[in-house]
């Protein structure tokens, strides 16, 4: 009277991570940065069918358990006063996995193998701001926007982040104004193109106008 056994192989896995807010725009979840509880994290299969939803805990964590192996993506909602921290293209610990590959607020493709736990699938937000003002013809070269001095249109303006990468580009409007909206809080430089027939006006360090 024999009893035979076979090894039961796992056919499911887990996906977990943290929802957090990037306070310094370095695209990495640093120690002490705010975590976001109460955020709905949804898991979809590659066909776009909702598999499960979780609410992030007070410490920002979420976890989908016993998920059949296969291809998935996660999604978090748009928040009015925040922007998403986007995936850099290279997976590193503590980065954001929001890539918008499957719509706004979605992660990159997540391939789950049997018995595997995909950790560190973090969803990053950042407070948003606007940056901009005015490109103009400083006719007396005093570094001030004097009355009657006109704006210059169609000047290419670039927003450069702390890592030296161009995040956004725009052209100045017909009145010389330009604005970068929905920019994450952080450190930036602004680059203005060189215009034929012009040099840059002096940098006035004493008057903000």
């Amino acid at each position: 009277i024999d009893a035979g056994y076979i090894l039961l192989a796992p056919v499911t896995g887990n996906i977990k991570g943290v929802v957090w807010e990037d306070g310094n725009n370095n695209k990495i979840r640093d120690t002490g940065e705010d975590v976001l509880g109460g955020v709905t994290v949804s898991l979809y299969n590659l066909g776009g069918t909702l598999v499960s939803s979780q609410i992030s805990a007070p410490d920002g964590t979420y976890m989908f358990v016993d998920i059949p192996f296969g291809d998935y993506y996660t999604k978090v909602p748009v928040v009015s006063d925040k922007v998403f921290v986007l995936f850099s293209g290279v997976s590193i610990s503590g980065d954001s996995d929001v890539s918008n590959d499957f719509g706004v607020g979605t992660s990159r493709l997540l391939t789950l193998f049997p018995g595997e736990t995909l950790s560190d699938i973090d969803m990053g937000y950042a407070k948003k701001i606007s940056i901009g003002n005015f490109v103009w013809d400083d006719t007396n070269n005093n570094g001030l926007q004097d009355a009657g001095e006109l704006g210059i249109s169609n000047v290419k303006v670039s927003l450069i982040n702390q890592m030296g990468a161009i995040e956004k580009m725009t052209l100045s409007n017909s009145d010389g104004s330009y604005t970068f909206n929905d920019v994450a809080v952080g450190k930036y430089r602004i680059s203005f193109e060189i215009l034929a027939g012009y040099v840059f006006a002096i940098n006035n360090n004493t008057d903000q106008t």
Side-chain angles (χ1 to χ4, degrees):
I1 308 300
D2 300 335
Y5 290 84
I6 61 171
L7 182 65
L8 181 63
V11 293
T12 62
N14 309 308
I15 299 174
K16 65 179 183 178
V18 177
V19 184
W20 106 100
E21 186 173 290
D22 188 9
N24 57 7
N25 197 31
N26 68 348
K27 318 297 185 183
I28 298 295
R29 180 165 57 88
D30 298 312
T31 301
E33 286 190 322
D34 291 340
V35 293
L36 301 177
V39 177
T40 300
V41 185
S42 301
L43 181 69
Y44 292 84
N45 64 24
L46 204 53
T49 300
L50 178 65
V51 175
S52 181
S53 290
Q54 297 285 327
I55 305 296
S56 60
D59 63 356
T61 59
Y62 73 92
M63 185 172 184
F64 299 104
V65 298
D66 294 333
I67 302 299
F69 68 92
D71 293 328
Y72 298 92
Y73 61 88
T74 53
K75 182 177 182 178
V76 288
V78 174
V79 178
S80 61
D81 64 340
K82 293 178 174 57
V83 294
F84 292 113
V85 178
L86 296 182
F87 179 59
S88 67
V90 179
S91 184
I92 57 177
S93 178
D95 67 347
S96 175
D97 288 283
V98 178
S99 65
N100 295 334
D101 284 355
F102 302 95
V104 177
T106 61
S107 73
R108 58 191 176 88
L109 178 65
L110 307 173
T111 299
L112 182 66
F113 292 100
E116 183 182 29
T117 294
L118 293 179
S119 302
D120 199 34
I121 308 301
D122 297 340
M123 311 298 280
Y125 289 90
K127 287 187 173 68
K128 71 179 181 182
I129 57 174
S130 295
I131 300 174
N133 201 226
F134 189 52
V135 183
W136 90 101
D137 186 352
D138 189 9
T139 55
N140 59 3
N141 194 27
N142 67 347
L144 296 176
Q145 298 170 18
D146 296 314
E149 291 182 334
L150 301 177
I152 304 176
S153 63
N154 294 316
V155 176
K156 185 170 70 176
V157 188
S158 302
L159 179 69
I160 303 172
N161 65 24
Q162 196 171 0
M163 283 69 73
I166 295 176
E167 287 211 356
K168 294 188 176 187
M169 289 195 303
T170 191
L171 295 175
S172 58
N173 296 323
S174 58
D175 63 354
S177 64
Y178 74 93
T179 305
F180 295 107
N181 292 312
D182 298 339
V183 176
V185 168
K187 296 180 179 180
Y188 297 92
R189 289 183 290 119
I190 304 290
S191 175
F192 301 90
E193 71 170 316
I194 296 173
L195 298 182
Y198 285 85
V199 295
F200 288 109
I202 65 167
N203 184 4
N204 191 310
N205 292 315
T206 60
D207 193 324
Q208 289 292 337
T209 60

